[in-house]
Amino acid sequence: MATTTADREQWGSRIGFILAAAGSAIGLGNIWRFPFKAGENGGAAFVIVYLVCIALICLPYLFAELALGRNSQKNPVGAIAAIKQGTPWKLVGGLCVLTGVFILSYYGVVAGWAVGYIFKGAVAPGVESGMFFETFIADPARVIPLLGLFMLLTIGVVYGGVEQGIERWAKVLMPILLILMFVVIFRSVTLPGAEAGLSFYLNPDFSKINGTVILEALGQAFFSLSLGMGAMITYGSYLPKRENLLVSGGYVALFDTAIALLSGLMIFPAVFAMGQDPSEGAALVFVVLPEVFDAMPLGGFVGTVFFILLSIAALTSTVSLMEVVVSYFVDETQWSRAASVWIVGGFTFAVGLPSALAQGGSDLFTNQLQLFGQTGFLNIMDFIWGSLSLALGALLLSIFVGWVWGTGNAIDELQQGADGGFQGTLPTVWAAFLKYVCPIVIAVIFGAIATGVI
Ligand code: PFF
């Protein structure tokens, strides 16, 4: 029997929800993607634009996803159907579920690399990083088992359910993550020559801001907060009515932003201290940082710690990607959680195989496949699902909440549990952001991504 609202699981505590949702938001996006995007797009100037995007676009939109989820107590498809039954709007929920599967499939591949790198210091100490990276990610005998391992870890957590699985693990893993980050930051900022990195990262040169920087910052902000594919609808659906969505959502955005900023603090001082190039791109974490680790005292230990940390952050994100899909099957079909988790995990692993083979493992998936100006299966998947689909999902969901469900209903939901803290002009301002600012700005990013400007 499909689950009814009455027997649906809920988070056990406020902090449990905040840590689980922050765990979803904090991932490869913060620690790997944010620093390399900042490095490529002008350093501190990018950081400032990013912060403005989080505050003005992502935060108002995050409240809309949380309100929709808690109101319906359903997965993204069920949440939309509960409000507008029998209309094509349900397809937007379907898009969320599909996006979850497909992002998970290639995100799991990169997460597998992070796990593999935990052992790099032990198996290949001092091997030239660029060479090591290229051979490592091209080797099917390593990347495929690592993808499988990462899927199993994700399955293990999601199998446990909301309170006993996701919440319990997030409460342990997230504080460990924070402690490990401070260890690496301490090492990084105390290296001789670290000041140049701090200045690149913290002193903005406003002449560096242009259209591309703004669009990149916005896209990064959505990806980082796990917005546009119903992850926050799903996590919001396990929240009780007494919960203050604005305060909890605010904490999630705060933690996510703080971890992104701390990641920059971890990486840029070290990169500059070692005379490396901050605009190295996607290789920043996997190629430049290991060189940094190799060349510093206690580097083997710090490197291992760093990749444990990256794997933990990725795991709490893959858990949320899988939960979106699993909650759909648990709510809408006869499948049990156990069956859903194994079927979704197995299917995603299979879909992930071409991405695992897309860095040299197979010529077809690495070089021959080209689409939308992207080369290789993994890059194409990231472009379609990690950029295009998130922007489209966020656009349609902000229109759905703002115009179809209506901001009046959403405000009623947000006021529940807010202890009178969401009154006066605040709701009106929020409604204006959700109905006008968010869709217009998101439509601009969507158009820019779709037409290849970014
Ligand atoms: N927010 C995650 C990160 O920054 O790594 C990625 C992500 C997770 C995106 C979950 C979307 C999502 F639903």
Side-chain angles (χ1 to χ4, degrees):
M1 199 189 72
T3 323
T4 62
T5 305
D7 55 24
R8 205 160 195 270
E9 283 194 84
Q10 287 199 337
W11 303 108
S13 62
R14 160 182 282 197
I15 188 72
F17 162 74
I18 294 174
L19 289 178
S24 163
I26 297 165
L28 297 171
N30 304 58
I31 301 176
W32 164 67
R33 203 166 182 269
F34 175 81
F36 93 68
K37 289 284 171 194
E40 282 176 343
N41 290 289
F46 174 91
V47 176
I48 292 193
V49 179
Y50 177 83
L51 293 176
V52 172
C53 293
I54 292 278
L56 297 186
I57 313 291
C58 293
L59 196 58
Y61 173 79
L62 167 65
F63 295 145
E65 277 205 21
L66 289 176
L68 182 59
R70 189 181 61 180
N71 182 264
S72 61
Q73 309 272 296
K74 282 268 170 19
N75 67 91
V77 177
I80 290 174
I83 285 161
K84 267 276 168 220
Q85 223 164 15
T87 63
W89 278 107
K90 229 174 135 171
L91 295 176
V92 180
L95 179 70
C96 292
V97 174
L98 277 183
T99 308
V101 171
F102 288 117
I103 293 186
L104 181 57
S105 74
Y106 69 83
Y107 196 95
V109 172
V110 182
W113 300 347
V115 173
Y117 262 67
I118 296 175
F119 308 100
K120 179 191 178 274
V123 297
V127 172
E128 201 274 311
S129 306
M131 273 283 295
F132 178 83
F133 183 59
E134 272 182 34
T135 359
F136 175 76
I137 60 174
D139 183 1
R142 290 197 258 188
V143 288
I144 292 177
L146 284 169
L147 168 65
L149 173 69
F150 214 84
M151 281 301 155
L152 284 175
L153 290 172
T154 311
I155 287 172
V157 176
V158 179
Y159 182 89
V162 175
E163 192 182 345
Q164 287 306 312
I166 303 175
E167 177 171 346
R168 190 159 62 108
W169 281 100
K171 272 185 178 160
V172 179
L173 296 179
M174 297 313 287
I176 297 179
L177 172 69
L178 202 65
I179 295 166
L180 292 183
M181 282 191 90
F182 279 109
V183 172
V184 182
I185 290 173
F186 179 76
R187 181 61 271 186
S188 184
V189 297
T190 51
L191 286 170
E195 307 76 38
L198 285 173
S199 155
F200 171 79
Y201 187 50
L202 301 174
N203 284 336
D205 170 359
F206 289 103
S207 68
K208 297 237 171 89
I209 298 179
N210 58 31
T212 313
V213 171
I214 296 174
L215 294 174
E216 287 274 15
L218 242 170
Q220 173 60 21
F222 270 104
F223 185 84
S224 187
L225 272 178
S226 304
L227 298 177
M229 53 144 291
M232 293 299 163
I233 297 179
T234 308
Y235 274 22
S237 75
Y238 302 124
L239 277 172
K241 291 287 183 197
R242 62 171 186 280
E243 199 53 68
N244 189 331
L245 296 180
L246 299 147
V247 170
S248 298
Y251 273 121
V252 171
L254 190 74
F255 289 155
D256 184 63
T257 310
I259 296 284
L261 294 177
L262 289 175
S263 302
L265 210 51
M266 190 163 66
I267 287 167
F268 289 117
V271 166
F272 276 76
M274 307 304 302
Q276 300 281 352
D277 178 6
S279 57
E280 190 75 25
L284 198 60
V285 161
F286 289 106
V287 175
V288 176
L289 268 190
E291 265 170 46
V292 171
F293 296 141
D294 277 345
M296 71 194 202
L298 280 182
F301 170 72
V302 177
T304 304
V305 166
F306 177 81
F307 285 104
I308 292 177
L309 176 164
L310 192 61
S311 306
I312 291 174
L315 180 61
T316 50
S317 297
T318 53
V319 161
S320 72
L321 288 160
M322 188 179 279
E323 180 61 25
V324 170
V325 189
V326 166
S327 72
Y328 165 74
F329 286 113
V330 171
D331 287 349
E332 308 294 323
T333 72
Q334 315 285 329
W335 296 5
S336 66
R337 175 169 279 270
S340 309
V341 163
W342 283 107
I343 293 169
V344 171
F347 179 77
T348 314
F349 173 73
V351 179
L353 289 176
S355 288
L357 296 174
Q359 320 299 316
S362 132
D363 187 49
L364 170 68
F365 294 128
T366 309
N367 303 311
Q368 292 181 29
L369 272 186
Q370 299 197 348
L371 200 64
F372 303 120
Q374 310 288 321
T375 304
F377 195 82
L378 192 149
N379 293 337
I380 294 172
M381 292 293 275
D382 183 39
F383 179 76
I384 297 177
W385 302 103
S387 295
L388 215 53
S389 174
L390 288 187
L392 183 62
L395 174 63
L396 294 172
L397 284 169
S398 60
I399 295 173
F400 183 78
V401 174
W403 296 90
V404 180
W405 187 30
T407 43
N409 288 322
I411 288 168
D412 284 347
E413 185 63 40
L414 289 171
Q415 281 171 339
Q416 292 193 49
D419 298 329
F422 195 52
Q423 302 287 343
T425 51
L426 219 57
T428 319
V429 173
W430 176 75
F433 268 87
L434 190 72
K435 288 176 83 162
Y436 303 103
V437 181
C438 293
I440 292 170
V441 175
I442 299 167
V444 171
I445 333 175
F446 182 67
I449 299 174
T451 53
V453 177
I454 54 173

